[in-house]
Amino acid sequence: NSLKCIEENAFSFCCNIKEIIIPKGVLNIGNFAFACCTELKYLILQKSVENIGHSLFYGCKKLALDIDKGNKNYEIKNDMLIDIKKGRLIHYFGDKESIKIENIKTIIIEKGCESIGGSAFQNLINLTKIELPDTLKTLEENVFSGCENLKEILLPKNVEHIASSTFYGILKVRN
């Protein structure tokens, strides 16, 4: 119970890890902490976790995330990991039971979301349309990077910040 922080890139590219249970007492998880853990299938986020960095699960296409019932900071809603207090969409998992994440074509983000975390939708190559809420203010880095077939996106008038490489590699956007 002495572990309080999992630093940036702590487990990145640990390709053989299949399951992680975040220890009780961990408060912070850094950017890219589990990025590209390609075989990671299950992770439990304990109730103690208060802060999560960006691009946490980038490249973890097999992951099923479970959140401790006592965690009041995070929830999974519509296949998305949400920071409740900050109104921040952290990661999109897709519906692993019925469809491969790579085949997702349309995503609708509900009203209330104020920011979208880094790499949240990165490399969804068949994504063609995304609907963003009027409450959105911030797009972090690489959010839609690699979504090469994204054709339709309407940026709400309240957007205040678009980070570097947010739309990197998108050639077909019309709106």
Side-chain angles (χ1 to χ4, degrees), residues 6 29 32 54 64 87 90 100 103 173:
I6 297 174
I29 303 175
F32 297 98
H54 67 78
I90 297 169
K100 285 188 170 185
N103 294 331
V173 172

Side-chain angles (χ1 to χ4, degrees), residues 15-45:
C15 299
N16 293 321
I17 293 177
K18 294 185 182 342
E19 180 177 307
I20 296 174
I21 299 172
I22 305 293
K24 292 179 181 175
V26 169
L27 301 172
N28 303 303
I29 303 175
N31 302 335
F32 297 98
F34 306 105
C36 298
C37 291
T38 55
E39 295 302 312
L40 183 59
K41 294 181 181 177
Y42 186 68
L43 186 137
I44 296 177
L45 201 61

